[in-house]
Amino acid sequence: MTTVPEAAWIKDARIVRLLSWFSLAWMVLEGALGLLAGGTAGSVSLIGWALSSAVEGLASIIVIWRFTGSRTMSETAEGRAQKAVAISFWLLAPYIGIQSIIDLAT
């Protein structure tokens, strides 16, 4: 039998998944438009912004993974998800740094 806190947690997890799917769809649209605009304008800023949408989309995927199936109530999955989201936000820094150095040099 599911206890009241577990039932509330499962309901909240369902809402979190729904919001994460919405966020993922938004990030895909935002990223595609940003890449198109950044590529057209030759703007590192716009491309960086678009890539940040990809990173945020990856975070949404991680959240969806975290709150799906048996992982919904798993503390181990929570720790893995936190680490994965943290790592995903570090993925953008090399592009911005390298492209900035190239632009400064030229």
Side-chain angles (χ1 to χ4, degrees):
M1 182 171 181
T2 305
T3 64
V4 174
E6 284 180 3
W9 181 263
I10 290 170
K11 179 184 173 204
D12 290 343
R14 199 172 308 127
I15 293 169
V16 166
R17 281 193 311 270
L18 179 64
L19 290 172
S20 293
W21 277 111
F22 176 76
S23 176
L24 179 59
W26 182 265
M27 291 304 136
V28 167
L29 178 64
E30 183 179 90
L33 291 173
L35 284 174
L36 179 66
T40 302
S43 171
V44 173
S45 303
L46 277 173
I47 293 173
W49 176 73
L51 291 176
S52 74
S53 295
V55 171
E56 291 171 24
L58 179 59
S60 290
I61 291 169
I62 293 166
V63 170
I64 292 165
W65 170 85
R66 162 61 179 98
F67 290 105
T68 301
S70 63
R71 292 178 297 273
T72 301
M73 300 298 291
S74 170
E75 288 186 32
T76 304
E78 176 66 22
R80 288 181 181 153
Q82 287 177 0
K83 289 174 187 169
V85 169
I87 290 168
S88 74
F89 279 95
W90 282 98
L91 296 176
L92 184 59
Y95 168 77
I96 298 294
I98 292 167
Q99 193 62 48
S100 297
I101 291 169
I102 291 169
D103 286 352
L104 282 172
T106 59

